[in-house]
Amino acid sequence: MNKVTVRTLKKLKENKEKFSMLTAYDYSTAKYFDQAGIDVILIGDSLAMTVLGYENTNFVGVEEMTIFTKAVAKGVKRAMVVTDMPFMSYTINISDALKNIGNMIKKGANAVKLEGCNDYILELISRSVQMGVPVIGHIGFTPQSQNVIGGHIIQGKDETAAQELLKQAKQLEKAGIFALVLEMVPENVGKFITENLNIPTISCGAGRFCDGFVMVCDDLLGKFDDFTPKFARKYCEMKSLIIDCATKYIKDIKSGNYPNETEVY
Ligand code: KIV
């Protein structure tokens, strides 16, 4: 069993092999995804909504992301562990950003993910890589900027916007990212960017032609139902399973069926 590294993902792209990425926020889920053979596990700031019940990702902070990073890292042997740097933890100044980024690696992450592309982010990426921290970029719809964007809006829809995304992707690649998440962009834009980069792209609602694919684990498992993006595919119905189990447990207690004679000391 070889640990997935930046070199593994690069080779997969070169060999035109797709790779898988899922979010996980706790020890046992991460352990099972790892056992299943997932390539990359992301401690996504989506945990703000799925785990902590916040309205959006901007409410989560470094301390919370640190706790979930530690838990996930303990459960994983093979997959690459990536932590999302939360809102405002990397945009105030380079020095604090590098401290926060380095701290995630000390807690068990193998890499971090940063949203956006501007001169500051490009400098931060190259400084992080110099410091020894691999970085995944994230463009297209960037949830931490949703108040500026004005909602969950598909990006890169016209030629100018698509060309701007390609320009950003190339700048990020040059700055040193080893992979790039493309969120909520038309499929042809995902394809176009993928074909024009040497590093792997990861589709988060960017169509079928990216090198890797990511999904929020609660969407995959049918656990979170406040909203579900179009690109999510539900592989089971954990919500009804949880309600069903709790209902049966309550019924068994009321009827005296739990605990039985094998469940006592
Ligand atoms: O926070 C998250 O879960 C993410 C992915 C879905 C890419 O950023």
Side-chain angles (χ1 to χ4, degrees), residues 23 25 42 44-46 57 84 113 138 181 183 204 214-216:
T23 68
Y25 316 113
L42 173 71
D45 58 1
S46 50
T57 59
D84 248 345
K113 178 165 78 60
H138 183 158
V181 169
E183 180 159 354
C204 181
V214 63
M215 215 197 289
V216 167

Side-chain angles (χ1 to χ4, degrees), residues 234-248:
K234 214 189 273 187
Y235 283 82
C236 71
E237 285 282 355
M238 256 185 81
K239 177 190 162 185
S240 31
L241 203 62
I242 291 169
I243 295 173
D244 192 39
C245 289
T247 308
K248 284 182 181 149

